[in-house]
Amino acid sequence: MKFLGKLIATLVAIVLVVLIAAYILLQTRWGAGQVSGWINEQSDYDFSFDVMEHRWASPMHLTFSNVTFGRKGQPATLVAQGVDIGLSSRQFSEPLHVDTILLKKGTLNLSPDSAPLPFQADMLQLSDMALNSPDAGWNLRAQRVNGGVTPWQPERGKVLGSTADIQFSAGSMSLNGVPASNVLLQGAINQGQVTLSTIGADIARGSLTGTANRNADGSWHIGSLRLNDIRLQTDKSISDFLSPLTTVPSLEVDSLEITDARLEGKGWAVTDLDLSLRNLTLANGGWQSDDGRLSLNASEFINGTLHLNDPIVNIDFTQQAAVLRQFTSRWERGMVRASGQWLRNDNQLTLDEVVLAGLEYTLPADWKKRWLAPVPEWLNKVTIKKLSANRNLIIDIDPTFPFQLTALDGVGNNLEVVRDRQWGLWDGNISLNAAAATFNRVDIRRPSIALTANANQISVTELSAFAGKGMLEATGAVSQSPQRNTAIKLRGRSVPINTLHQWGWPNLPLEGEGNLQLSVTGSLAAQTPLKPTVNGTLQATSTDGKQLQQTMQKGEIPGA
């Protein structure tokens, strides 16, 4: 028995010596190298550290310096100057589940290809760390990160685990190219759902605060979000800038407030923007709302050639309609005002009132092409119940047939200007008059026109203007069929005898002033030349009594 006791004592002493030797060696660079080499040979990971340190003043803590960890052949998942692991009695049953892990002064790379850290902890703490996730769905880069995850149970593809409370702060951060500083995030993760109870950041020389939830399917619910004094510049077009709103499965907004924002991108800008959005959900390329509201105003809005000054927009949203309570803006040195509603069921926009006053507007060079192009699918029909135009200047600089209307006034009622996604005048009546006009370099005074449209045709019930010392008067009609068959009767009294020359009729061998009678038909079908379709007769009598009659067939006059 004495021998057995001495043997056991000797073995215990040897074990203690080995443990003490191992304890001492592990705290040397040689020991650290041996442990790192053994792990690298026995696993698919690259792991290294300089020194392990243990202090009896904190007996349950192991500290590693200059740690590098990652999957072989991949960038390192973790690089840290210090890693502090807090142990507990749980290590006897679960060796890889520790009490705390503290990562200090390093970089943590989060991506689908990153190696999952082989530990779990009741708490993961970060101190002055950098976070990168360039290959994830959101391009995130953050510096001077402090915070924690409780508990920390990482899974493949989920570095923070499936269930945890989170709290982080960052000195600086870039999310999808948008920089921010002094960032604070608090919330929780629960089986793919992320709840952010506190969001705060200094962004684009302004501030952001709010709350939000992200569901497992990628949809978002914004409880509240407030942006103040934002000054943001981007190289994206306005459609690319807003694309994240349409690419998520759905975005539900309870409250969004933007105050005094200035945004600028490729071909667009908005200054001094104030916006309030309540109770609206964007999903599947559309929106849903029971009692939503959008209110915005700005000093200036630019998108391509569109330039609005002091725009004000107020819209109420219901399940079936978007009610435009107010739209006003200074545009092209004048003013635009409108109100109405858009109905979801038939994609119909009904404007109760449209006012155009004091505009000085030059038509785009491709306005005819735009007129023929179909409007978006969500705008199947547009009706203007009341149109008012006052003192407008309209200019077309098309070199083939330029025109200008000065001091243009007008009144329209029940005008259907879009039907089946196509521009036109499909119904209603309108009368227009101007102080002066020029059509292809022919000056006329006090032109006026009255139109009445129905399903069959557009009737020109009145068309008159002063030319020279006399007057031009006309009536006519344009069919609503695709051929756009047109018939016009025009009479001129004491007008320049060759008034019609600049408008397409060959020059007459008469001089001075005289009387004209024109009856002509043609086709205004889209993408079809007009001249070959024109047939008609012209009778002209000059002041000296000379008379002339010409007949046009397919745009040509024999002998003219």
Side-chain angles (χ1 to χ4, degrees):
M1 293 296 294
K2 290 183 179 181
F3 173 77
L4 181 60
K6 289 181 180 181
L7 179 61
I8 292 175
T10 301
L11 291 175
V12 170
I14 292 173
V15 170
L16 289 175
V17 170
V18 171
L19 291 176
I20 292 172
Y23 173 77
I24 295 173
L25 290 175
L26 282 174
Q27 299 186 64
T28 66
R29 290 184 179 273
W30 180 86
Q34 294 299 311
V35 172
S36 299
W38 180 83
I39 293 175
N40 294 339
E41 291 177 1
Q42 301 299 320
S43 69
D44 294 329
Y45 301 111
D46 285 328
F47 173 70
S48 66
F49 64 96
D50 284 353
V51 175
M52 183 196 77
E53 183 178 350
H54 177 264
R55 296 182 179 179
W56 290 106
S58 301
M60 302 303 292
H61 283 264
L62 296 177
T63 302
F64 298 83
S65 61
N66 297 325
V67 177
T68 300
F69 173 82
R71 191 186 300 275
K72 288 181 178 178
Q74 298 291 336
T77 301
L78 171 67
V79 177
Q81 293 184 19
V83 175
D84 187 312
I85 299 178
L87 306 175
S88 67
S89 58
R90 191 172 186 172
Q91 263 58 73
F92 292 104
S93 58
E94 298 180 66
L96 297 181
H97 191 124
V98 299
D99 186 34
T100 62
I101 297 178
L102 172 61
L103 308 180
K104 297 185 292 184
K105 295 183 179 181
T107 300
L108 188 59
N109 295 310
L110 313 176
S111 72
D113 297 329
S114 296
L117 299 177
F119 288 101
Q120 294 184 351
D122 292 339
M123 177 182 290
L124 170 68
Q125 294 176 288
L126 305 180
S127 176
D128 198 15
M129 291 288 292
L131 296 180
N132 296 317
S133 62
D135 299 323
W138 289 32
N139 190 347
L140 171 68
R141 298 182 184 277
Q143 291 76 40
R144 303 192 304 279
V145 178
N146 298 282
V149 180
T150 307
W152 182 57
Q153 298 171 329
E155 303 174 8
R156 186 174 185 85
K158 298 179 181 178
V159 70
L160 299 181
S162 296
T163 304
D165 293 328
I166 58 175
Q167 178 174 325
F168 292 105
S169 66
S172 62
M173 184 178 73
S174 174
L175 181 61
N176 288 342
V178 179
S181 60
N182 301 323
V183 180
L184 175 62
L185 297 176
Q186 292 179 322
I189 300 172
N190 185 9
Q191 300 302 323
Q193 181 176 354
V194 180
T195 300
L196 299 177
S197 57
T198 301
I199 305 173
D202 294 333
I203 178 172
R205 296 194 294 171
S207 63
L208 176 152
T209 58
T211 61
N213 294 333
R214 184 183 185 275
N215 298 319
D217 62 358
S219 61
W220 282 87
H221 176 198
I222 305 298
S224 65
L225 185 62
R226 187 175 184 88
L227 301 168
N228 294 319
D229 301 322
I230 299 298
R231 303 292 185 265
L232 179 62
Q233 288 186 321
T234 176
D235 58 356
K236 297 180 179 179
S237 65
I238 192 169
S239 58
D240 291 340
F241 180 74
L242 297 177
S243 63
L245 302 180
T246 59
T247 54
V248 297
S250 71
L251 175 63
E252 181 180 357
V253 179
D254 290 345
S255 176
L256 170 63
E257 301 285 342
I258 300 176
T259 305
D260 192 24
R262 295 186 181 183
L263 311 175
E264 182 178 353
K266 183 180 180 180
W268 66 277
V270 59
T271 59
D272 303 329
L273 172 66
D274 294 332
L275 181 146
S276 176
L277 179 63
R278 304 291 177 88
N279 303 325
L280 184 70
T281 299
L282 304 176
N284 301 320
W287 55 270
Q288 292 86 38
S289 179
D290 290 329
D291 184 22
R293 179 184 302 173
L294 170 67
S295 298
L296 70 84
N297 61 81
S299 295
E300 190 175 31
F301 174 78
I302 300 172
N303 185 21
T305 59
L306 178 64
H307 188 173
L308 301 178
N309 290 290
D310 301 322
I312 300 174
V313 180
N314 290 296
I315 302 176
D316 291 338
F317 297 96
T318 66
Q319 289 186 355
Q320 298 301 329
V323 180
L324 179 63
R325 292 189 291 112
Q326 178 187 17
F327 169 74
T328 60
S329 179
R330 291 191 296 114
W331 177 55
E332 299 294 340
R333 301 186 180 181
M335 185 272 291
V336 180
R337 184 174 75 244
S339 61
Q341 66 175 353
W342 176 82
L343 299 177
R344 183 195 302 275
N345 289 341
D346 53 8
N347 291 334
Q348 176 177 340
L349 174 63
T350 300
L351 296 173
D352 298 324
E353 180 184 33
V354 175
V355 177
L356 308 172
L359 303 185
E360 298 181 9
Y361 183 55
T362 299
L363 295 171
D366 61 344
W367 71 269
K368 298 174 187 176
K369 181 179 179 181
R370 297 187 188 185
W371 178 263
L372 296 175
V375 300
E377 294 183 359
W378 56 268
L379 206 57
N380 188 56
K381 182 178 179 181
V382 177
T383 301
I384 302 174
K385 291 184 177 180
K386 182 179 180 181
L387 171 67
S388 299
N390 300 289
R391 309 295 295 178
N392 298 292
L393 173 63
I394 306 298
I395 302 172
D396 182 12
I397 58 175
D398 182 356
T400 60
F401 198 96
F403 66 82
Q404 176 175 311
L405 296 167
T406 304
L408 176 65
D409 298 336
V411 175
N413 295 286
N414 300 316
L415 300 172
E416 186 178 341
V417 295
V418 173
R419 177 181 291 182
D420 297 329
R421 300 178 55 208
Q422 186 61 59
W423 289 105
L425 183 57
W426 304 102
D427 201 359
N429 59 82
I430 184 173
S431 60
L432 301 169
N433 61 83
T438 300
F439 290 95
N440 200 22
R441 303 171 185 84
V442 175
D443 294 332
I444 59 177
R445 305 182 309 280
R446 307 301 303 174
S448 67
I449 186 172
L451 304 174
T452 300
N454 55 36
N456 297 319
Q457 68 179 19
I458 302 172
S459 299
V460 183
T461 57
E462 178 203 349
L463 176 59
S464 64
F466 291 97
K469 298 178 181 179
M471 174 177 283
L472 294 168
E473 295 178 301
T475 58
V478 181
S479 72
Q480 298 281 30
S481 66
Q483 291 74 27
R484 297 291 180 182
N485 295 322
T486 303
I488 296 175
K489 291 184 178 181
L490 179 144
R491 182 175 63 177
R493 293 174 296 175
S494 301
V495 299
I497 201 71
N498 274 298
T499 296
L500 302 181
H501 175 58
Q502 290 294 103
W503 300 345
W505 198 273
N507 197 39
L508 302 178
L510 300 176
E511 297 180 356
E513 297 179 342
N515 298 332
L516 302 172
Q517 285 189 344
L518 174 69
S519 179
V520 66
T521 62
S523 173
L524 297 176
Q527 310 299 335
T528 301
L530 171 63
K531 184 177 179 179
T533 69
V534 176
N535 299 297
T537 60
L538 172 65
Q539 295 179 347
T541 304
S542 63
T543 55
D544 57 4
K546 294 180 180 180
Q547 295 185 355
L548 178 67
Q549 180 171 326
Q550 292 182 334
T551 299
M552 178 175 287
Q553 295 180 350
K554 296 182 179 181
E556 300 291 343
I557 297 176

